Amino acid sequence: GEGPVRARIWCALAACLVAAGCTSDPPDVGGSTSTMPSATRSTPPTTTTTFPPTPPPAEPPPVTRPLDPSAYATEGTVCDLLTDPQAIELGMPSPGESHAISETFLGCNRLHALAEREVEYNLWLDNDLLEEVFSRNKRGDFMVVDVAGQPAVIKSADPAQVCHVTVGLASRKGIEVMATDDRGKACALAMTIAEQMVRNLGGG
């Protein structure tokens, strides 16, 4: 092992605002949804993320459709970026554990009932996250992706035990999802959660 899951996530966050990659087993987003106990294992997705042979562009993609995250901009509401039913469907119990590092940086942690995966998602209200990724990392170390219509970057590809997805919401506003998964599907989990959060914000 790599130590406790929480330690892995916070080490990745401390090392760099936009570091790392993750792995998890979300249910098939395109299939039917079913209510499952929080301790049951969800069905792995059938798609995987692969890096293209060419590096991403030199500049981060623009946010052409701004989304307003202000309804979730408090320590009491940030966990609701991912609803409790959505978290339960992913096998993670409710409620999440929220934290506010500052007025412009809030986060939420959700731990799988079997402790095999964990997700940390952060809401940034005054930081150009995509620019951070492009300026702090080599171009071959990440991939530009679309998350329910929003520009995003991903820093790993399954099979992976750690994955990091950064999504642009508006000018100097964004979310980052850091996931770990012991079974090597962290990026599938991180992408699923990022897409659900964008749709909860009115995108998609």
Side-chain angles (χ1 to χ4, degrees), residues 52-65:
T54 57
E59 299 293 330
V63 179
T64 59
R65 180 189 58 181

Side-chain angles (χ1 to χ4, degrees), residues 8-76:
R8 290 197 300 241
I9 286 183
W10 281 105
C11 284
L13 178 59
C16 177
L17 295 179
V18 287
C22 324
T23 316
S24 38
D25 291 16
D28 188 347
V29 179
S32 60
T33 58
S34 59
T35 302
M36 65 177 74
S38 60
T40 59
R41 297 193 175 196
S42 51
T43 303
T46 57
T47 59
T48 58
T49 302
T50 57
F51 276 44
T54 57
E59 299 293 330
V63 179
T64 59
R65 180 189 58 181
L67 298 177
D68 181 11
S70 59
Y72 305 94
T74 68
E75 188 172 1

